[in-house]
Amino acid sequence: MTLPMPFSQAKPDRRSFLAAGSATLALAALGHTGAARAQAAGATPLRLAEPRPFSFDALTEQARRIAASPFNPGTPLPPEVLDKIDYDAHGKIKYKPEAALFADGPGNFPVTFFHLGRFFQTPVHMFVLESNGGNYFAREVVYDDKYFDMPADSPAHQLPDGAGFAGFRFQESRAGDQKKKPWQQNDWVAFLGASYFRAIGELYQYGLSARGVAVDVAEPGKNEEFPSFTQFFFDPPANGGDTVVVHALLEGPSITGAYKFIMQRGKSVVMDIEKRLFLRQDIARLGLAPLTSMYWFSETNKPRDADWRPEVHDSDGLALWNGAGERIWRPLNNPTTIVTSAFGDNGIKGFGLLQRDRLFDHYQDGVMYDLRPSLWVEPLDNWGAGAVQLVELPTDDEIHDNAVAMWVPAAPAKAGSAISLRYKLHWTDREPYPSPLAICVATRTGRGGVPGQPRPQGVVKFMVEFLGGNLSKLPFGVTPEAVLSAPTGKFSYVFTEAVPDGVAGHWRAQFDYTPEGNAPVDIRLYLRQGQETLSETWLFQFRPA
């Protein structure tokens, strides 16, 4: 089993998609959609259906009502047409910037749409909101192939008006420096495929994805379900602001939901998310605030002849800030079988999949893995008892997402129940609330033993590097202590030393580990000086060969 690849990769997406949708009603034109610009450029202006009342509470009630009835995927679009829009054909379909929603305002961030195709078959319906006397109304953006540049013989021309779209993205600010970053060629957030969405970080790169919800990821005896966002509603943004608001309806066989996204484009991207979920069926593993990333190999563990590059990953570790205040770093693995790790907690403060290795020389790749964003989840309420679950799947290529981190509540996810949740997503260079402790910056492994002497069989050497915090304030001649623990096995040849690179506060702990038996073992390590903790906790899942 492999997870679907990130939609940024230049390969076909193999996600499961759910069909949903409704017929389009009457048509109209609306000034703030960019109709004037589109008409002047010779493009078809956006057409809008008749208005209908809208509120987030009404959307919530719609989700609740849908959940009370059996799942209806709606009338699918002609599969013989969608299947012809393969990877190559889809790549030739480009949305016309002059037809963008909000191309002339209000607000700074125009919206462009993704086209349907073989790998994105779920019709997603887009609505723009209008206010009148304090009341909001939604008008659907009616699909027309004339919004897109495409070859005359493209099979996409065979789709009917009102077919819907595959997703959307917000372009960069039209009020910014257009010579440096023209909004027509740059975007900062994208929703595409099931309930997946992504944003760039402060290093201007896409990487890992977030999801609206995760249902039965790697659950034994079950197939993973991929609910879809089937409707999006765009608030007209305020002029001069850096924030956009989008509402969404989620539909799936086991769950429905109403979502509100408040997304801020600043130095990084920050999203305030409110979700109201309604369960149609029992769900064995319900993942909330799920993150999906790719880890193939790194300096920690690189299979022989895997690839010419030193490292390939969107994220290199899971960071936790638990309810007790402990900071934990768990390096990611590429296991040989599906592995699920659970970190039980109550009142968790945050977690995230991070990319800590920022050195280009460690990747040597033009796709800029060194610039991929880190993604941090910050609960805005007390989430109570549950666990951060990390699911790691084997992969032999970078096109597959193979790591999922999510919050799984302790309470069973039963049919008929409702769940409300609020949290922030921080798409940044590093975690948004840095620890005062030193952080782990590298994990290296090799053969155990002492150089120049016969190497013992089955012994593994670890070199774990820490940087910053009070390590940089240690008096000359003071060496931190490595505190190690594991439920089984034994440690030997343990010592710490300053990394000889002249960087203050850069230390490494070295130790040999001799396992006992073949079961996986969690090894814990942190640095201290006297009774003072100097580093976060390094937690490594050791799996004997």
Side-chain angles (χ1 to χ4, degrees):
M1 172 182 177
T2 57
L3 286 179
M5 70 175 202
F7 55 76
S8 63
Q9 300 287 356
K11 297 288 182 182
D13 193 307
R14 299 189 293 143
R15 293 190 183 109
S16 301
F17 292 107
L18 306 172
S22 58
T24 302
L25 302 177
L27 310 179
L30 187 67
H32 68 224
T33 62
R37 179 191 295 262
Q39 205 161 23
T44 300
L46 292 182
R47 296 181 295 156
L48 304 180
E50 292 294 329
R52 72 185 200 194
F54 175 85
S55 70
F56 185 49
D57 286 340
L59 185 66
T60 301
E61 286 308 307
Q62 181 182 359
R64 186 194 307 272
R65 185 174 63 254
I66 293 172
S69 58
F71 176 61
N72 178 11
T75 303
L77 295 170
E80 65 275 11
V81 175
L82 293 174
D83 284 343
K84 293 177 183 177
I85 310 174
D86 58 14
Y87 175 73
D88 290 332
H90 197 273
K92 297 175 183 177
I93 302 173
K94 308 294 183 183
Y95 195 84
K96 297 177 180 177
E98 59 269 20
L101 180 66
F102 309 137
D104 299 313
N108 293 334
F109 304 111
V111 181
T112 60
F113 301 113
F114 292 104
H115 202 278
L116 293 160
R118 177 185 294 180
F119 306 107
F120 305 102
Q121 297 199 12
T122 303
V124 183
H125 296 271
M126 309 294 179
F127 298 80
V128 61
L129 299 182
E130 301 174 309
S131 63
N132 187 351
N135 297 317
Y136 275 87
F137 298 87
R139 305 179 73 179
E140 183 173 357
V141 178
V142 181
Y143 166 83
D144 190 320
D145 65 354
K146 296 182 179 64
Y147 303 154
F148 296 86
D149 276 322
M150 64 178 78
D153 61 351
S154 174
H157 290 299
Q158 301 174 39
L159 289 178
D161 280 359
F165 303 90
F168 73 90
R169 54 188 167 191
F170 275 100
Q171 305 297 130
E172 289 283 16
S173 175
R174 60 190 185 86
D177 186 342
Q178 298 303 296
K179 291 184 178 180
K180 181 178 180 181
K181 191 182 297 182
W183 69 260
Q184 296 90 341
Q185 301 171 21
N186 295 276
D187 55 294
W188 57 276
V189 68
F191 285 68
L192 179 64
S195 69
Y196 287 75
F197 57 98
R198 301 183 308 157
I200 64 174
E202 55 201 280
L203 302 177
Y204 297 97
Q205 286 289 321
Y206 280 115
L208 76 170
S209 301
R211 299 161 67 176
V213 70
V215 177
D216 290 336
V217 177
E219 180 65 20
K222 289 183 174 290
N223 292 324
E224 182 174 356
E225 178 184 319
F226 294 92
S228 293
F229 288 129
T230 57
Q231 297 179 21
F232 288 103
F233 303 82
F234 300 91
D235 256 351
N239 284 317
D242 61 359
T243 300
V244 295
V245 179
V246 178
H247 308 266
L249 177 68
L250 178 102
E251 299 183 70
S254 299
I255 196 167
T256 68
Y259 287 70
K260 183 177 183 180
F261 297 86
I262 302 175
M263 300 182 283
Q264 183 182 36
R265 177 67 174 115
K267 181 182 178 183
S268 60
V269 174
V270 178
M271 301 177 177
D272 280 66
I273 300 175
E274 180 178 357
K275 63 175 68 171
R276 301 171 181 178
L277 301 174
F278 305 95
L279 275 65
R280 274 192 167 110
Q281 302 175 10
D282 293 353
I283 296 176
R285 180 178 291 163
L286 177 61
L288 305 178
L291 316 179
T292 299
S293 192
M294 180 274 294
Y295 175 88
W296 185 11
F297 61 86
S298 71
E299 61 197 359
T300 304
N301 184 10
K302 179 182 177 180
R304 179 177 295 179
D305 299 328
D307 193 83
W308 63 268
R309 293 163 291 182
E311 301 190 37
V312 177
H313 50 79
D314 282 331
S315 307
D316 51 10
L318 169 69
L320 299 165
W321 188 7
N322 65 24
E326 185 181 17
R327 302 277 193 146
I328 297 172
W329 175 252
R330 162 61 155 77
L332 293 181
N333 292 319
N334 180 7
T336 55
T337 59
I338 299 173
V339 176
T340 300
S341 304
F343 305 88
D345 204 354
N346 197 322
I348 188 167
K349 294 179 171 63
F351 68 94
L353 291 175
L354 310 184
Q355 185 78 313
R356 280 188 173 171
D357 193 334
R358 294 297 183 189
L359 296 177
F360 171 81
D361 287 348
H362 289 186
Y363 302 94
Q364 293 290 332
D365 197 322
V367 298
M368 305 302 179
Y369 282 118
D370 56 309
L371 302 181
R372 300 297 169 100
S374 295
L375 181 51
W376 182 262
V377 179
E378 176 191 358
L380 297 178
D381 303 307
N382 187 335
W383 288 1
V388 173
Q389 291 195 7
L390 174 65
V391 180
E392 297 167 298
L393 299 96
T395 187
D396 61 359
D397 207 332
E398 64 200 287
I399 65 170
H400 303 295
D401 278 2
N402 67 318
V404 179
M406 56 193 171
W407 176 256
V408 179
K414 294 294 186 181
S417 61
I419 297 173
S420 294
L421 204 70
R422 297 187 314 125
Y423 57 98
K424 283 182 182 287
L425 291 181
H426 300 263
W427 306 78
T428 59
D429 177 13
R430 60 197 67 196
E431 52 264 68
Y433 306 108
S435 168
L437 301 173
I439 64 171
C440 179
V441 293
T443 301
R444 311 177 199 278
T445 60
R447 294 177 60 192
V450 180
Q453 299 181 19
R455 298 300 178 101
Q457 293 296 316
V459 179
V460 180
K461 185 177 298 296
F462 286 86
M463 298 285 286
V464 184
E465 295 184 15
F466 295 92
L467 178 66
N470 285 339
L471 283 178
S472 59
K473 301 177 183 178
L474 286 178
F476 181 78
V478 174
T479 300
E481 174 191 2
V483 181
L484 284 158
S485 62
T488 61
K490 64 179 182 179
F491 300 104
S492 59
Y493 200 39
V494 180
F495 68 90
T496 60
E497 64 180 359
V499 177
D501 58 0
V503 176
H506 194 185
W507 287 78
R508 61 190 176 199
Q510 174 177 312
F511 63 92
D512 284 1
Y513 175 70
T514 305
E516 295 177 359
N518 296 318
V521 175
D522 285 332
I523 304 173
R524 297 173 67 94
L525 162 71
Y526 69 93
L527 301 184
R528 72 181 178 192
Q529 199 271 315
Q531 297 302 310
E532 180 186 6
T533 298
L534 298 176
S535 74
E536 66 185 2
T537 299
W538 172 84
L539 180 62
F540 187 85
Q541 185 177 81
F542 177 79
R543 304 182 68 82

